[in-house]
Amino acid sequence: MKNIVLIGMPGAGKSTVGVLLAKTLGYAFLDTDLVIQEREGKLLQALVDELGVEAFLEREADAICSVDCVNTVIAPGGSAVCRDRAMEHLKSLGRIVYLHLPLEELEHRLHNISTRGIAMAPGETLAHIYDYRAPLYRKYADLTVEVGRQTLEETVAQVLETLK
């Protein structure tokens, strides 16, 4: 396996599960949100506020397309699926695992939606984003793992089992 790419909504656990998965496999871990912040010299929320959603998504895709690694668990931002070129690049790097979390659980987990750096236009809600992105996650996923209220260790075990 070259790389494992974890996709899903903000709050689904991509970064947290990704770190544990990387440790379990002896892989590196890469959060593409940090790549964007380093490239742009600003926090995600500042970029979304300054650039607007569409320009942010282009910068995010540029950052994702710059990634080149092996034996790495990659956690792209939840909005990576909004740009085909970003997802095609991630698909070329490894297997894509969709961490699917129901909307109700996401709403329970996310308390900092206005400051978290989520690519959403003024007036949009988490439900709007979920409805738009869910079909894209399914489109690009090689595998899907249902995430709920289980522990992080249980989620990592599910991902490993699904990858077999």
Side-chain angles (χ1 to χ4, degrees):
M1 205 171 343
K2 294 192 299 189
N3 297 298
I4 299 165
V5 180
L6 301 177
I7 63 172
M9 285 289 290
K14 299 178 299 291
S15 295
T16 309
V17 170
V19 168
L20 294 174
L21 184 63
K23 284 182 178 182
T24 301
L25 294 170
Y27 277 23
F29 174 75
L30 176 66
D31 184 329
T32 66
D33 284 348
L34 299 178
V35 174
I36 299 162
Q37 288 181 167
E38 185 176 321
R39 283 173 61 110
E40 301 294 329
K42 294 183 181 170
L43 297 176
L44 292 181
Q45 189 61 56
L47 288 168
V48 173
D49 293 345
E50 179 183 305
L51 300 171
V53 173
E54 291 302 311
F56 171 80
L57 293 173
E58 288 302 317
R59 299 270 178 99
E60 177 182 45
D62 291 343
I64 289 169
C65 289
S66 76
V67 170
D68 185 21
C69 54
V70 293
N71 297 329
T72 302
V73 176
I74 304 168
S79 54
V81 294
C82 297
R83 292 294 182 262
D84 287 333
R85 67 188 175 102
M87 291 309 300
E88 292 304 322
H89 182 69
L90 290 170
K91 263 200 169 308
S92 76
L93 294 177
R95 294 176 79 187
I96 306 224
V97 179
Y98 171 28
L99 298 181
H100 174 258
L101 188 65
L103 178 59
E104 300 74 35
E105 184 62 25
L106 283 170
E107 289 171 335
H108 176 76
R109 288 186 183 191
L110 290 176
H111 303 289
N112 58 345
I113 194 164
S114 63
T115 59
R116 188 176 169 120
I118 298 173
M120 55 194 292
E124 275 189 314
T125 65
L126 192 58
H128 291 131
I129 293 171
Y130 187 91
D131 290 344
Y132 174 73
R133 292 183 187 174
L136 296 172
Y137 295 131
R138 286 191 283 284
K139 171 184 172 182
Y140 290 112
D142 296 313
L143 308 160
T144 299
V145 172
E146 295 298 325
V147 180
R149 294 192 178 219
Q150 70 265 38
T151 66
L152 287 170
E153 291 78 12
E154 290 169 331
T155 301
V156 170
Q158 275 186 269
V159 171
L160 289 168
E161 185 61 34
T162 303
L163 286 167
K164 287 183 181 175

